Amino acid sequence: MLFLFGATAAIGTAACDDPFAPKATAQVRTDSFIVYSVSQTPVNVPAAFNIVFFTPLRLEPTYGFDLVFDIDEAGKVVLIPVRLVGGAVTAARHVGLQKITVPYDDVKQAPTSGYSPDSTLLLGVGEGAIVELQTQVCEFQSSQLVYAKLQIKAIDPVSRTIVFRMTYDPNCGFKSFLPGVPTS
């Protein structure tokens, strides 16, 4: 009798879970990277970044990147979404940027609104941004969005290099920047 009660309770609890709710399976990733400014550098150096593959890339006509990095005349980093670089070829690609207004480490989750889609963003050393990316990797998921945050750690106007750190939640629709696999 006790076994039957326990089994009924377990089934009742499982019935409350939504079997169609998205489940996170991958760990949130954090790492630091070095890229070059897209201007005044050789074409074979990485001046772009692919968020899903979590890797710097050089600019190529395949447009396999999400963000391009540049350094303006004032020495600030210019984040440029792929859509502004590729024109009609990348017209369907969505990259939204939002400047972080609190300390970088205080941002534990991506906000649900406030992104400037397909607009450039200027950042100085220590400043950061949150990125909302629509990706085909999530094509058959309930949300096609993934989120990342990045912070500029160093800018060298002579070598035209930019050092940044990025935290990325690879789980479609999840917005966590905490270490581990997100639970919500």
Side-chain angles (χ1 to χ4, degrees):
M1 182 70 158
L2 187 57
F3 172 76
L4 183 59
F5 177 74
T8 305
I11 291 170
T13 302
C16 293
D17 291 338
D18 181 356
F20 301 108
K23 304 240 186 307
T25 58
Q27 299 229 3
V28 172
R29 301 173 70 182
T30 299
D31 208 344
S32 293
F33 302 93
I34 299 174
V35 292
Y36 288 80
S37 171
V38 69
S39 62
Q40 302 176 27
T41 59
V43 295
N44 63 342
V45 297
F49 196 83
N50 181 299
I51 294 172
V52 171
F53 292 117
F54 211 52
T55 188
L57 300 170
R58 62 184 186 192
L59 265 67
E60 295 195 5
T62 57
Y63 301 104
F65 49 85
D66 304 305
L67 292 172
V68 175
F69 292 79
D70 203 358
I71 299 174
D72 72 2
E73 294 160 359
K76 289 202 171 209
V77 171
V78 183
L79 292 180
I80 308 167
V82 64
R83 189 174 182 176
L84 299 179
V85 177
V89 175
T90 58
R93 305 268 306 271
H94 168 82
V95 177
L97 300 173
Q98 182 175 154
K99 193 166 189 173
I100 295 174
T101 58
V102 298
Y104 181 82
D105 291 329
D106 288 353
V107 180
K108 309 289 187 208
Q109 181 172 315
T112 56
S113 63
Y115 297 92
S116 296
D118 308 312
S119 299
T120 61
L121 185 63
L122 288 176
L123 297 174
V125 173
E127 294 182 317
I130 301 172
V131 183
E132 177 184 69
L133 172 68
Q134 184 176 358
T135 175
Q136 290 181 355
V137 170
C138 299
E139 184 175 18
F140 300 109
Q141 303 296 322
S142 59
S143 173
Q144 294 183 351
L145 300 173
V146 293
Y147 296 88
K149 68 176 181 174
L150 67 89
Q151 181 186 38
I152 305 302
K153 300 300 282 178
I155 304 167
D156 185 337
V158 175
S159 67
R160 308 287 293 169
T161 56
I162 301 155
V163 178
F164 68 97
R165 71 172 162 161
M166 178 176 277
T167 300
Y168 163 57
D169 186 341
N171 299 288
C172 302
F174 285 77
K175 299 177 174 84
S176 177
F177 296 132
L178 297 173
V181 177
T183 56
S184 60

